[in-house]
Amino acid sequence: MKTESKWLFGQPASDARIRLIGFPFAGGSVAAFQGWSEGLGPQIGLQIVSLPGRGSRLFDPPCDDWPTLVDVLCAELAPLFDRPVAFFGHSLGALLAFETARALRSRGLPLHSLWLSGAEAPHRRALKRRLHDLPERDLIEALRDYNGTPAELLDHAEMMELLLPGIRADFALSERYVWQDQEGGLTCPMHLLLGDADPYVELPRALAWSELGAAGMTRHDFNGDHFFLNPHQQAIWQRLQDGLRV
């Protein structure tokens, strides 16, 4: 089995009973899942998608093309299906997790479960703002509004100059996404995680995820804005531990 890849971060314990693949939010890196491996425990083998243009891949050209990105991720993830595999994605990460899950299922590799956080369903989502081609100053202020990037980083001009190409690529993925229906839905259980004060996710559009799966959807509600994950990590880890029993 392929064990090393620049597209995946983390080497789970060899006796992990299930693999969990984490998909970060737009502009996010593997740091978005800091502490999760320890919090989930050794039986859940966490690996995180490491996209180009951020983190250890900061100087790799970012990718803003859906077919290319999904094809690469399928090739990288397919060897991991020697045991059950689940996906967890937040915001843009949820959309990328879903599209990758659909592509893998068409290759005969269905997921154990799909965890979708802070995102509207792809066939019902509404594009609220166009960000990827904003001037630098306006884009940084938009990131400040999202409340997911530390202020000290946003105020660091040299670092933001390095980070913005990857961030723009992620927003371009989100803003250029076109829903394409496919025959049959996902067959794995789906879990939807929502913040009750998330200004970027409309509840009816989020609940429409249930229309895209055949095995039912469980809803998990939390207090907080778009980045409700941060203050509720332990509760989310517990939900994952309960839901990833095999």
Side-chain angles (χ1 to χ4, degrees), residues 13 19 52 91 94 123 153 161 163 197 203 206-207 209 211 217 236 243:
R19 301 184 188 279
S91 196
H123 62 312
L153 185 58
E161 184 176 355
L163 294 175
L203 182 58
L207 295 179
W209 281 108
E211 301 168 6
M217 184 182 77
I236 291 168

Side-chain angles (χ1 to χ4, degrees), residues 73-208:
L73 288 176
C74 284
E76 296 292 334
L77 294 171
L80 303 183
F81 280 75
D82 60 331
R83 67 196 72 185
V85 176
F87 285 176
F88 183 105
H90 181 71
S91 196
L92 174 65
L95 189 59
L96 184 54
F98 172 77
E99 287 296 338
T100 306
R102 288 210 296 178
L104 285 166
R105 180 178 179 268
S106 71
R107 293 161 168 79
L109 297 171
L111 292 182
H112 169 276
S113 53
L114 177 60
W115 299 70
L116 305 155
S117 172
E120 297 175 347
H123 62 312
R124 297 287 185 264
R125 65 197 297 264
L127 182 60
K128 297 171 177 63
R129 298 180 70 184
R130 183 181 174 93
L131 302 177
H132 79 272
D133 53 2
L134 284 177
E136 180 176 316
R137 180 179 297 180
D138 294 341
L139 180 54
I140 290 173
E141 289 309 307
L143 292 171
R144 204 182 300 276
D145 290 342
Y146 269 93
N147 197 32
T149 305
E152 57 270 22
L153 185 58
L154 293 172
D155 294 334
H156 195 298
E158 292 82 2
M159 185 58 69
M160 290 308 299
E161 184 176 355
L162 294 173
L163 294 175
L164 283 179
I167 293 171
R168 288 187 188 279
D170 285 357
F171 282 127
L173 283 170
S174 177
E175 292 159 16
R176 294 172 180 164
Y177 176 82
V178 177
W179 166 251
Q180 294 182 339
D181 201 1
Q182 292 182 359
E183 184 176 351
L186 293 176
T187 57
C188 65
M190 299 167 65
H191 294 259
L192 177 64
L193 292 78
L194 298 171
D196 64 357
D198 188 339
Y200 304 106
V201 176
E202 297 178 33
L203 182 58
R205 296 181 187 277
L207 295 179

Side-chain angles (χ1 to χ4, degrees), residues 196-244:
D196 64 357
D198 188 339
Y200 304 106
V201 176
E202 297 178 33
L203 182 58
R205 296 181 187 277
L207 295 179
W209 281 108
S210 64
E211 301 168 6
L212 303 178
M217 184 182 77
T218 302
R219 175 177 164 185
H220 308 267
D221 292 307
F222 300 89
N223 296 326
D225 61 13
H226 192 58
F227 286 94
F228 64 88
L229 294 181
N230 298 329
H232 295 291
Q233 282 188 343
Q234 292 190 0
I236 291 168
W237 294 339
Q238 185 62 60
R239 307 280 179 101
L240 285 162
Q241 289 169 340
D242 293 341
L244 296 179

